[in-house]
Amino acid sequence: MSKILIIDDEVMITSTLSTLIQMMLDYEVIISNDPKALIESGILENETIDLVISDFIMPHMNGLELLSLIKEKQPNIVPILLTGYSDKESAIKSINDLGLYYYLEKPWDNNELIKVVENGIEKSKLESELKHKLIIIEKKNNEISRLYDLLRRDYDKEIDNVLEFVISLSNLVEAKDAYTENHTRRVADLAIALGRRAGLNKEQLRNVELGAIIHDIGKVSTPEHILNKPGRLTFEEFEVMKGHPEAGANIIRPISALKNTADIVLSHHEKLDGSGYPHGLSSDEINVETRIVTIADIFDALYTDRPYRVGMPLEQAMSILKEDASSGKLDHNIIVYLEDMIKTGELADIYHD
């Protein structure tokens, strides 16, 4: 049952209001004829009151002062002020200052008073329900945040496990192909540096790193005599070699944690002009992560030793890349990022290590 507090120094007024409210609304009513006695009584500390009706002119303190003290003790209470005509201006000013819900002029209209009290109680209930719901929402949000943190830790741990697995896959290729020793790690380091310059986000950089490490995983299906042939491959041998991107993608696709790297593995030999393999993709069909890994892979192949030749000088390797960019095979912007790495010494750091 809702509780209403009525304060007026005139006993007849508190008695009349109490009888009216209890008869019309069936609320519990507490009355007081002395503001000072009310403050000292402990009622405000021991009772939860939904609505208070206070007279304006009373001994010891006026209604605004009393309501201000009551609001300090019970912030959720709905305050209503009874005023005479001469007090009307002060009551209006207090609406904003005190958060006054309503003011009623003496003599009041019973129907109006009952309606105001009824609406005030409804307001109190709605505010209470809203605060309760907000508390529940806050608790749920805290729980969601806690679960998110747990999932985030599990995800990070899973990613670390995936990276270890990817490195193991890469080691399989390196064990079979003498040329690929440290190739994948260099390509990954170079691709990450290029990706940062290209403005890739954290997830894209992670895909670039994983994709670069496993881009040649399909070579586990390529015969060793082709992988380690000391001279140039024949047409037939090169056709066999060209199967490694699809073989690699087929290995990667069933692994959910690596699904975002499958395009890199499948398309790292594609060219922007459609002259690459295995599907002759072109332009926007090749995402930026794949373009970056492609250029990192080609640069490392040109710049480092291979079974049938020693690595090219830096100037010659860059000349070939620029020519391919000019002819529309490679992304020109990424070549510019690579040139910037040369100027800053970052490329030398990767290959020195």
Side-chain angles (χ1 to χ4, degrees), residues 60-127:
H60 306 300
M61 67 181 72
N62 65 42
L64 296 180
E65 293 170 335
L66 175 62
L67 290 176
S68 180
L69 289 173
I70 292 174
K71 286 280 284 184
E72 287 181 9
K73 296 178 181 293
Q74 299 206 25
N76 298 324
I77 200 167
V78 177
I80 296 174
L81 190 67
L82 282 176
T83 71
Y85 181 78
S86 61
D87 310 320
K88 184 176 179 179
E89 186 177 346
S90 297
I92 293 173
K93 289 181 179 178
S94 68
I95 290 177
N96 291 329
D97 296 340
L98 184 63
L100 193 66
Y101 173 65
Y102 210 88
Y103 73 89
L104 291 167
E105 292 184 46
K106 297 178 181 178
W108 62 83
D109 177 273
N110 285 345
N111 291 328
E112 181 187 8
L113 185 141
I114 290 299
K115 190 64 178 177
V116 169
V117 170
E118 198 171 27
N119 289 343
I121 290 296
E122 183 65 20
K123 175 180 181 291
S124 176
K125 288 180 179 179
L126 290 173
E127 288 180 345

Side-chain angles (χ1 to χ4, degrees), residues 145-200:
S145 296
R146 186 184 71 83
L147 291 174
Y148 174 80
D149 290 339
L150 289 175
L151 288 172
R152 181 77 251 181
R153 286 197 292 269
D154 288 344
Y155 174 78
D156 290 341
K157 184 177 180 181
E158 182 66 20
I159 286 296
D160 289 339
N161 291 338
V162 168
L163 183 57
E164 291 178 7
F165 175 66
V166 165
I167 292 173
S168 296
L169 288 178
S170 175
N171 289 340
L172 283 176
V173 178
E174 292 191 352
K176 189 175 181 180
D177 182 359
Y179 155 65
T180 59
E181 183 178 3
N182 296 323
H183 166 70
T184 54
R185 186 65 260 176
R186 290 192 305 269
V187 171
D189 289 343
L190 179 53
I192 292 169
L194 292 171
R196 290 197 182 101
R197 281 171 165 74
L200 300 191

Side-chain angles (χ1 to χ4, degrees), residues 144-309:
I144 290 171
S145 296
R146 186 184 71 83
L147 291 174
Y148 174 80
D149 290 339
L150 289 175
L151 288 172
R152 181 77 251 181
R153 286 197 292 269
D154 288 344
Y155 174 78
D156 290 341
K157 184 177 180 181
E158 182 66 20
I159 286 296
D160 289 339
N161 291 338
V162 168
L163 183 57
E164 291 178 7
F165 175 66
V166 165
I167 292 173
S168 296
L169 288 178
S170 175
N171 289 340
L172 283 176
V173 178
E174 292 191 352
K176 189 175 181 180
D177 182 359
Y179 155 65
T180 59
E181 183 178 3
N182 296 323
H183 166 70
T184 54
R185 186 65 260 176
R186 290 192 305 269
V187 171
D189 289 343
L190 179 53
I192 292 169
L194 292 171
R196 290 197 182 101
R197 281 171 165 74
L200 300 191
N201 60 39
K202 184 177 179 180
E203 182 179 355
Q204 288 175 307
L205 288 173
R206 173 66 73 172
N207 292 338
V208 163
E209 179 180 22
L210 296 178
I213 291 174
I214 58 174
H215 72 279
D216 276 336
I217 187 61
K219 287 183 177 179
V220 296
S221 66
T222 305
E224 288 187 36
H225 74 273
I226 293 178
L227 286 177
N228 295 314
K229 184 177 179 179
R232 288 190 175 276
L233 301 180
T234 65
F235 174 81
E236 291 76 14
E237 290 170 336
F238 186 59
E239 288 299 306
V240 173
M241 178 69 82
K242 285 166 63 176
H244 80 269
E246 284 197 277
N250 290 334
I251 293 171
I252 293 306
R253 284 195 187 100
I255 305 172
S256 59
L258 296 178
K259 63 181 181 180
N260 291 332
T261 66
D263 281 346
I264 296 175
V265 173
L266 177 63
S267 303
H268 70 279
H269 283 294
E270 300 284 2
K271 298 295 188 294
L272 297 181
D273 63 355
S275 63
Y277 64 87
H279 298 304
L281 302 181
S282 63
S283 191
D284 293 340
E285 294 177 308
I286 306 171
N287 62 38
V288 65
E289 295 101 311
T290 302
R291 298 181 189 197
I292 287 171
V293 173
T294 296
I295 289 175
D297 183 34
I298 294 173
F299 175 79
D300 192 79
L302 295 173
Y303 189 51
T304 59
D305 294 342
R306 308 201 71 170
Y308 54 86
R309 62 159 174 78

Side-chain angles (χ1 to χ4, degrees), residues 120-150:
I121 290 296
E122 183 65 20
K123 175 180 181 291
S124 176
K125 288 180 179 179
L126 290 173
E127 288 180 345
S128 178
E129 290 174 6
L130 178 59
K131 288 179 181 178
H132 179 66
K133 289 178 180 178
L134 288 174
I135 290 172
I136 292 175
I137 290 172
E138 184 177 3
K139 287 181 179 178
K140 288 182 177 179
N141 283 340
N142 290 338
E143 180 64 11
I144 290 171
S145 296
R146 186 184 71 83
L147 291 174
Y148 174 80
D149 290 339
L150 289 175

